[in-house]
Amino acid sequence: MELSTRYLGITLNNPLVASASPLSQTVDGVRRLADCGVGAVVLYSLFEEQLQREAEQNAQLAEAGTESFAESLTYFPRTAEQDHGPRRYLSLLERAAAAVTIPVIGSLNGITPGSWARYARSMQDAGAAAIELNIYSLPGDPHATGRDVEQRHLDILAWVKDSVTVPVAVKLSPYFSATGEMARRLDAAGAEGLVLFNRFLQPDVDPETLTMVRTPSLSTAAECRLPLTWIALLRSQVGASLAATTGVESATEVIKYLLAGADVVMTASALLRHSPEYAAVLLDGLREWMGRKGFTTVDELRGMLAVPADIDGTARERADYVSTIQSADTAAYGPW
């Protein structure tokens, strides 16, 4: 059974990718994921806020140095926070990339151009096989327009693309007014990959303590339907690689995403819930299903259920919606 696939122009042993999570915060964690069989690892994200704090600390040290002697301007001693921020991240990336034979992808998380470009280049220099831009933005400003939000994504991509030669993927939110157009614009702007979708971790409310509760939750299989829909629609519309993420609980979700047209399937929740060794269970399930259905390579099944290029995607989704509602009515009340 041949599971090798291409993602961002890179050949992977299989289409299962460990997405950014606490599992990749150490070299041993990355090595364990690789040993468990994943095709690639996305390192946990380096946040824009960490870059800003480092810049502020360096500026403070430089200002303090002007009051002593000039040589101190080029000497920035590490602080405890920096050891757990950008410098630590780049060190981890360099050591992890050297420790495994599968691609290690760097991840940048933020919402403004800022220092992204410089650190993307640093990630490339540290051995990142590619860069994933995790543009985590849920606009809370009622005066921000949709076009402003979209342009911010394009600006960030342009800054990073100008700084690196490795492939760049953009992890998207599902909350654009025209998700398909945004995907096409990013594709045209040079994104080698689109990761669908970023999962926003909304807070909950505790009515007893009268407080906001900010506890992350793992995804469930039911959440795969939204990215599944868009991957099927975009498969024939963009040249960029498509990565599916969210809702992977079993081999069934991996298979669904591949049939819809995903080049790779990313998971963090399943590996956090069951341990990294669960990657082997997912891959074994994919192989078993392929054998039963007569497929010998992943390429044979990829995109079989994608929306063809000559089909009106809007009409297709409307028809699916109407059919679903009618099926629900029939199941609940019987035929009219």
Side-chain angles (χ1 to χ4, degrees):
M1 204 70 65
E2 180 56 61
L3 298 188
S4 65
T5 191
R6 297 275 291 176
Y7 177 56
L8 306 176
I10 304 168
T11 299
L12 308 184
N13 294 331
N14 62 70
L16 186 65
V17 175
S19 52
S21 80
L23 294 173
S24 57
Q25 288 186 334
T26 65
V27 174
D28 286 343
V30 173
R31 188 183 290 112
R32 184 180 176 189
L33 288 166
D35 291 342
C36 290
V38 299
V41 174
V42 181
L43 214 62
Y44 78 98
S45 294
L46 177 60
F47 284 77
E48 178 182 344
E49 289 78 1
Q50 292 174 297
L51 304 181
Q52 292 172 342
R53 283 196 292 270
E54 183 185 67
E56 291 167 0
Q57 290 166 351
N58 286 345
Q60 292 169 359
L61 290 169
E63 184 176 352
T66 60
E67 298 174 359
S68 52
F69 49 89
E71 287 80 1
S72 66
L73 293 176
T74 59
Y75 173 66
F76 298 117
R78 294 187 180 183
T79 65
E81 185 167 348
Q82 284 175 317
D83 281 341
H84 292 83
R87 299 189 189 196
R88 177 185 181 276
Y89 188 96
L90 294 175
S91 173
L92 170 63
L93 175 56
E94 183 174 18
R95 290 179 289 120
V100 297
T101 58
I102 63 172
V104 177
I105 299 171
S107 175
L108 278 166
N109 186 309
I111 58 173
T112 60
S115 302
W116 288 56
R118 180 164 66 90
Y119 273 92
R121 181 53 186 259
S122 296
M123 286 184 178
Q124 173 180 296
D125 294 343
I131 306 294
E132 181 177 286
L133 302 181
N134 187 342
I135 306 176
Y136 191 101
S137 174
L138 187 62
D141 181 359
H143 302 290
T145 68
R147 277 303 188 200
D148 287 342
V149 174
E150 293 167 358
Q151 190 59 49
R152 186 184 306 150
H153 284 68
L154 294 166
D155 289 344
I156 290 172
L157 175 62
W159 277 50
V160 173
K161 287 287 295 181
D162 285 344
S163 300
V164 301
T165 57
V166 295
V168 178
V170 180
K171 193 169 189 177
L172 285 174
S173 154
Y175 301 121
F176 292 101
S177 58
T179 301
E181 188 219 16
M182 192 65 222
R184 288 172 60 90
R185 291 175 71 191
L186 289 165
D187 181 41
E192 282 87 0
L194 301 175
V195 183
L196 309 176
F197 284 112
N198 208 335
R199 185 168 174 265
F200 287 105
L201 305 178
Q202 297 96 336
D204 199 355
V205 171
D206 186 332
E208 295 302 323
T209 61
L210 307 182
T211 58
M212 301 296 291
V213 181
R214 296 174 175 82
T215 303
S217 59
L218 302 179
S219 68
T220 63
E223 296 178 63
C224 80
R225 292 197 175 190
L226 182 61
L228 192 71
T229 297
W230 276 108
I231 287 169
L233 287 168
L234 292 173
R235 176 67 189 182
S236 63
Q237 300 297 323
V238 298
S241 295
L242 296 177
T245 187
T246 299
V248 176
E249 174 55 28
S250 68
T252 298
E253 289 74 53
V254 176
I255 294 163
K256 288 179 179 181
Y257 276 135
L258 293 173
L259 286 169
D263 292 287
V264 296
V265 179
M266 296 184 170
T267 181
S269 292
L271 302 180
L272 286 167
R273 186 180 285 120
H274 301 289
S275 84
E277 285 71 21
Y278 192 66
V281 176
L282 297 175
L283 292 171
D284 286 344
L286 172 60
R287 291 189 187 93
E288 188 275 333
W289 177 86
M290 288 174 62
R292 283 194 292 109
K293 295 297 182 181
F295 296 111
T296 58
T297 70
V298 171
D299 289 339
E300 292 172 1
L301 65 100
R302 180 180 290 109
M304 283 187 65
L305 300 183
V307 177
D310 58 348
I311 298 295
D312 184 335
T314 301
R316 163 72 176 269
E317 286 308 302
R318 178 66 184 179
D320 287 346
Y321 166 74
V322 172
S323 296
T324 301
I325 295 299
Q326 291 176 339
S327 297
D329 288 343
T330 301
Y333 306 111
W336 293 99

